[in-house]
Amino acid sequence: MAEPAYEVAVVIPVRNGAETLGEQLRCLAQQQDAPAFEVVVADNGSTDSSAALALAWCGGRMPVRVVDAGARPGVAFARNTGVAAARGAAVAFCDADDHVSPRWVRAMADGLAEFDAVGGPVRLDRINAGPTIAGMETLSTGNRSVFGYLPYAVGASLGVRREVYLALGGTDESFPHGHEEVDFAWRLQHAGYSLGWAPDAVVDYRQRADTRGVFRQSFNYGESSLQLWARHAPTHSLAPVSLKGSIRNVAVQTLRAHRLLDPQARLVQARALGWNLGVLAGHLRYRKFGAPPAPRLMEQPSRLTEVAR
């Protein structure tokens, strides 16, 4: 029997996301004017009930499958595994802890009819408390950029033609803690593919609300930003980065560490301190005493194992 034909495969990487995954699946089940689509939940080694929760949706009106993406930790590996198992001509990525808007799948499909890849807006003010997002942009209005270089789409609202994703080897699994979507977008554009903007593909983007989690995430993002820079700067025109400047920034944020005791300022300070410490760690790890790891791109789909029910 021939497999069902889908225009879009929605890939959701998840690791211990049982508290929020059901909300995202309900948002997808309520899509309006959507083309034929399936949902592929790529379980990245969850130890909670994430897989069971997703499996409960299998056989319902919305086609949902669960694939085992637990062989290696990391969102890049989970996304690659999900795409390998996908049966849609286009792939749309979202996260297990966010909410896609009612016409998100339609907007992704329309964007990918014109571009090889598209990004959509992420909105912060509807599912996050005010103090959680203080000082942050509440709604993005276009693809972002870092180091003054090419634009990229946020991985929480990203669409790609599947054949293009496979041709590029997917997202680089050597990025364990962020910036893998930036690296992917840059490689995509270097290869001559187009990156567009899908303004109606809005995702309500959940942020961490605990001080320790914000600090840890910001540290990881800061460190991975230097991994990205060290990987691409030798061959492309990225804005320069400064080790001395990073040391100075850490000193400034350390002097402001008392703000962590202020309930109104602690998350902003945790984010700033974590980021600057992470950037400094990245300088030391990827520039001063080492180099970025070699790229680790996805295996061919035929070599990956899909686990359904």
Side-chain angles (χ1 to χ4, degrees):
M1 180 181 295
E3 292 185 342
Y6 300 107
E7 185 173 336
V8 179
V10 176
V11 173
I12 307 177
V14 61
R15 182 179 177 88
N16 295 334
E19 289 188 7
T20 57
L21 176 60
E23 298 175 21
Q24 184 68 292
L25 291 172
R26 279 190 289 274
C27 290
L28 287 165
Q30 296 168 2
Q31 290 294 291
Q32 300 171 6
D33 190 31
F37 74 96
E38 65 166 346
V39 177
V40 180
V41 176
D43 181 23
N44 191 222
S46 298
T47 56
D48 66 0
S49 59
S50 294
L53 187 153
L55 285 168
W57 286 77
C58 297
R61 185 177 62 180
M62 180 177 67
V64 178
R65 292 184 294 131
V66 180
V67 295
D68 182 0
R72 290 195 291 274
V75 67
F77 178 73
R79 287 182 182 139
N80 289 347
T81 303
V83 173
R87 297 180 296 205
V91 180
F93 297 99
C94 60
D95 290 339
D97 58 347
D98 299 331
H99 293 173
V100 297
S101 58
R103 292 179 58 82
W104 182 77
V105 173
R106 175 77 270 165
M108 280 288 172
D110 289 348
L112 292 172
E114 182 177 357
F115 300 100
D116 297 305
V118 292
V122 292
R123 183 167 182 166
L124 304 183
D125 59 330
R126 291 194 290 214
I127 60 171
N128 299 290
T132 301
I133 59 173
M136 302 176 70
E137 179 185 38
T138 57
L139 177 65
S140 58
T141 56
N143 288 320
R144 304 180 180 186
S145 64
V146 292
F147 301 121
Y149 197 50
L150 298 172
Y152 73 94
V154 176
S157 188
L158 168 66
V160 187
R161 293 177 183 173
R162 185 172 183 267
E163 63 179 3
V164 172
Y165 191 92
L166 296 176
L168 293 170
T171 45
D172 186 347
E173 298 164 14
S174 74
F175 284 85
H177 299 303
H179 287 88
E180 76 290 330
E181 75 265 55
V182 187
D183 171 81
F184 176 79
W186 289 359
R187 288 189 288 114
L188 178 137
Q189 292 165 92
H190 294 160
Y193 296 111
S194 59
L195 174 65
W197 178 246
D200 295 327
V202 181
V203 169
D204 288 308
Y205 192 31
R206 195 182 305 273
Q207 299 296 296
R208 296 178 186 269
D210 62 294
T211 305
R212 180 176 296 181
V214 167
F215 175 85
R216 182 173 60 250
Q217 183 182 62
S218 297
F219 179 95
N220 288 338
Y221 286 170
E223 185 178 46
S224 66
S225 73
L226 265 293
Q227 178 183 350
L228 176 77
W229 189 94
R231 170 73 59 76
H232 290 273
T235 53
H236 301 100
S237 300
L238 275 62
V241 296
S242 168
L243 174 58
K244 289 183 179 179
S246 295
I247 295 172
R248 182 171 57 251
N249 290 340
V250 168
V252 169
Q253 294 303 326
T254 300
L255 291 174
R256 296 174 179 172
H258 64 277
R259 296 182 181 181
L260 294 170
L261 302 176
D262 181 354
Q264 299 301 315
R266 64 166 54 117
L267 294 183
V268 173
Q269 183 58 34
R271 192 175 297 116
L273 181 60
W275 171 268
N276 284 288
L277 283 170
V279 169
L280 178 57
H283 273 288
L284 299 177
R285 182 174 183 180
Y286 300 120
R287 299 187 67 208
K288 184 69 173 178
F289 301 118
R296 185 170 189 170
L297 302 181
M298 69 185 296
E299 299 175 352
Q300 293 301 310
S302 60
R303 298 172 58 190
L304 293 171
T305 301
E306 176 184 344
V307 177
R309 308 185 189 189

Short mmCIF file of all heavy atoms in Angstrom, two decimals, residues 16-23 48-50 53 96:
data_model
loop_
_atom_site.label_atom_id
_atom_site.label_comp_id
_atom_site.label_asym_id
_atom_site.label_seq_id
_atom_site.Cartn_x
_atom_site.Cartn_y
_atom_site.Cartn_z
N ASN A 16 11.73 15.32 27.24
CA ASN A 16 11.07 15.58 28.52
C ASN A 16 10.16 16.81 28.44
O ASN A 16 10.23 17.71 29.25
CB ASN A 16 12.10 15.74 29.63
CG ASN A 16 12.88 14.47 29.89
OD1 ASN A 16 12.38 13.37 29.63
ND2 ASN A 16 14.09 14.60 30.39
N GLY A 17 9.28 16.79 27.45
CA GLY A 17 8.38 17.92 27.24
C GLY A 17 6.92 17.60 27.50
O GLY A 17 6.04 18.26 26.93
N ALA A 18 6.65 16.62 28.35
CA ALA A 18 5.27 16.17 28.55
C ALA A 18 4.36 17.27 29.08
O ALA A 18 3.16 17.26 28.82
CB ALA A 18 5.25 14.97 29.49
N GLU A 19 4.90 18.22 29.83
CA GLU A 19 4.06 19.27 30.41
C GLU A 19 3.45 20.18 29.36
O GLU A 19 2.39 20.76 29.57
CB GLU A 19 4.87 20.11 31.40
CG GLU A 19 5.23 19.38 32.69
CD GLU A 19 5.85 20.32 33.70
OE1 GLU A 19 5.88 21.55 33.45
OE2 GLU A 19 6.33 19.83 34.74
N THR A 20 4.10 20.31 28.22
CA THR A 20 3.64 21.28 27.21
C THR A 20 3.33 20.66 25.85
O THR A 20 2.65 21.30 25.04
CB THR A 20 4.69 22.38 27.01
OG1 THR A 20 5.94 21.77 26.63
CG2 THR A 20 4.90 23.18 28.31
N LEU A 21 3.81 19.48 25.56
CA LEU A 21 3.66 18.90 24.22
C LEU A 21 2.20 18.78 23.83
O LEU A 21 1.83 19.03 22.68
CB LEU A 21 4.35 17.54 24.16
CG LEU A 21 4.19 16.74 22.86
CD1 LEU A 21 4.75 17.53 21.68
CD2 LEU A 21 4.88 15.38 22.98
N GLY A 22 1.35 18.40 24.77
CA GLY A 22 -0.07 18.26 24.46
C GLY A 22 -0.69 19.55 23.98
O GLY A 22 -1.55 19.56 23.08
N GLU A 23 -0.26 20.69 24.55
CA GLU A 23 -0.79 21.99 24.12
C GLU A 23 -0.40 22.27 22.67
O GLU A 23 -1.21 22.76 21.88
CB GLU A 23 -0.25 23.09 25.03
CG GLU A 23 -0.64 22.97 26.49
CD GLU A 23 0.03 24.03 27.34
OE1 GLU A 23 0.47 25.06 26.78
OE2 GLU A 23 0.13 23.84 28.57
N ASP A 48 10.39 11.14 30.61
CA ASP A 48 9.04 11.38 31.12
C ASP A 48 8.04 10.72 30.17
O ASP A 48 8.39 9.83 29.41
CB ASP A 48 8.79 12.87 31.32
CG ASP A 48 8.76 13.64 29.99
OD1 ASP A 48 8.95 13.02 28.93
OD2 ASP A 48 8.54 14.87 30.04
N SER A 49 6.82 11.17 30.18
CA SER A 49 5.76 10.55 29.37
C SER A 49 5.57 11.21 28.01
O SER A 49 4.51 11.08 27.40
CB SER A 49 4.45 10.57 30.15
OG SER A 49 4.07 11.91 30.47
N SER A 50 6.58 11.92 27.51
CA SER A 50 6.45 12.62 26.23
C SER A 50 6.04 11.68 25.10
O SER A 50 5.11 11.96 24.34
CB SER A 50 7.76 13.32 25.86
OG SER A 50 8.06 14.36 26.74
N LEU A 53 2.50 10.36 25.50
CA LEU A 53 1.52 11.41 25.22
C LEU A 53 1.35 11.59 23.72
O LEU A 53 0.22 11.69 23.22
CB LEU A 53 1.99 12.71 25.87
CG LEU A 53 1.05 13.92 25.85
CD1 LEU A 53 1.37 14.83 27.04
CD2 LEU A 53 1.15 14.72 24.55
N ALA A 96 8.23 21.81 21.22
CA ALA A 96 7.20 21.15 22.02
C ALA A 96 6.61 22.05 23.09
O ALA A 96 5.55 21.74 23.64
CB ALA A 96 7.78 19.89 22.67
#
